Amino acid sequence: MQRMDLHVRALRRFGRTRVFGVVMPVLAPPVDRLAHRLSGGRLRVGQLFLPTLMLTTVGRRSSQPRATPVAYVREGDRFALLATNFGKPHHPAWSANLLAHPDALVTVDGHPLPVRARLAEGAERDRLWRRFNEVWPAYETYVQRSGRTPRMFVLEPRI
């Protein structure tokens, strides 16, 4: 247990570095997508560090399905997503896709679930922001590095 704690603390420190912000956006999504596909949706490498789901959106320009691993915070049957893009100055494509087409699909532990996205605002956003920072303190660094307020979505089941 103590070893895992050291591992998590080291990763959280590394998550605040520019190197992490440059390397992980290139490396993590394709590795996660491959692990997800090979495991039938049960495994994502990112879940070793953060709760991660596979989000499938409809491309706003292409109208094609786009699968992206995304860290989340869960509240009952809802999922909250934070579009930090590892601290890059622009919003991630998946967040623009959700704005254009709020109906999406999340896969968690191999279980697909149709959802509808909406932006979190006000007190709900503030409360979720605190939860996200408990899970991954580097989010504060991402906001400082990007100079923008990341979009935050709440995904609710469509069933």
Side-chain angles (χ1 to χ4, degrees):
M1 187 70 156
Q2 185 178 8
R3 183 177 177 155
M4 180 57 96
D5 290 342
L6 289 174
H7 178 268
V8 170
R9 280 185 288 183
L11 184 63
R12 285 182 171 189
R13 276 195 305 274
F14 181 52
R16 292 180 172 158
T17 67
R18 286 204 179 275
V19 171
F20 186 91
V22 170
V23 172
M24 292 310 285
V26 174
L27 184 63
V31 170
D32 257 349
R33 279 191 286 271
L34 178 63
H36 182 263
R37 189 174 69 242
L38 294 175
S39 70
R42 291 181 303 277
L43 176 65
R44 286 156 317 283
V45 176
Q47 74 186 13
L48 300 173
F49 314 112
L50 293 164
T52 307
L53 55 76
M54 188 62 69
L55 172 68
T56 304
T57 60
V58 174
R60 69 187 183 287
R61 294 186 191 146
S62 70
S63 297
Q64 297 299 309
R66 302 290 183 214
T68 308
V70 181
Y72 70 93
V73 170
R74 190 163 193 164
E75 289 200 317
D77 63 349
R78 302 179 319 152
F79 303 88
L81 309 179
L82 186 61
T84 62
N85 207 15
F86 294 92
K88 290 183 179 181
H90 55 280
H91 294 286
W94 64 261
S95 73
N97 291 346
L98 281 180
L99 290 175
H101 304 284
D103 287 342
L105 181 74
V106 296
T107 304
V108 181
D109 300 325
H111 303 288
L113 177 68
V115 293
R116 173 157 292 139
R118 63 176 173 76
L119 287 171
E121 299 176 324
E124 178 184 45
R125 181 186 170 82
D126 294 342
R127 180 177 47 75
L128 289 169
W129 175 252
R130 286 189 296 276
R131 295 222 24 229
F132 274 108
N133 277 284
E134 288 169 5
V135 172
W136 188 248
Y139 286 135
E140 286 286 351
T141 304
Y142 296 171
V143 169
Q144 293 167 4
R145 188 182 307 146
S146 71
R148 66 177 171 79
T149 301
R151 294 170 179 150
M152 184 184 297
F153 294 90
V154 174
L155 281 57
E156 299 175 333
R158 283 191 281 151
I159 298 174

